[in-house]
Amino acid sequence: MQITVNNQPMAVEPPISVEALLQQLNHLEKGVALAVNSKIISRSRWASYLLSDGDNITLIKATAGG
């Protein structure tokens, strides 16, 4: 199925959870937030939230600095 991650098209094999996608992308570290189709998905739901064909995922990584 086709999804978009931070405006980049990506093909993945369904079914795939948010957590499995982030494992594939090496983005499971702390300080990462995620939205699917502009809706924030809480970290507690990542393992059970299944992605659908055409989903638009936005990854946001907190950075330190001033």
Side-chain angles (χ1 to χ4, degrees):
M1 79 180 167
Q2 284 293 128
I3 61 173
T4 304
V5 179
N6 288 353
N7 297 316
Q8 298 296 316
M10 181 177 184
V12 294
E13 287 295 320
I16 188 167
S17 67
V18 166
E19 185 174 78
L21 174 67
L22 292 178
Q23 283 176 338
Q24 284 183 6
L25 298 174
N26 295 317
H27 282 299
L28 269 179
E29 67 270 8
K30 291 183 180 183
V32 173
L34 178 134
V36 177
N37 302 322
S38 300
K39 181 180 177 190
I40 298 290
I41 307 300
S42 66
R43 186 176 281 268
S44 63
R45 295 185 55 213
W46 288 2
S48 62
Y49 192 98
L50 296 178
L51 297 171
S52 299
D53 189 45
D55 277 349
N56 184 15
I57 294 96
T58 303
L59 292 175
I60 304 158
K61 189 171 183 180
T63 57

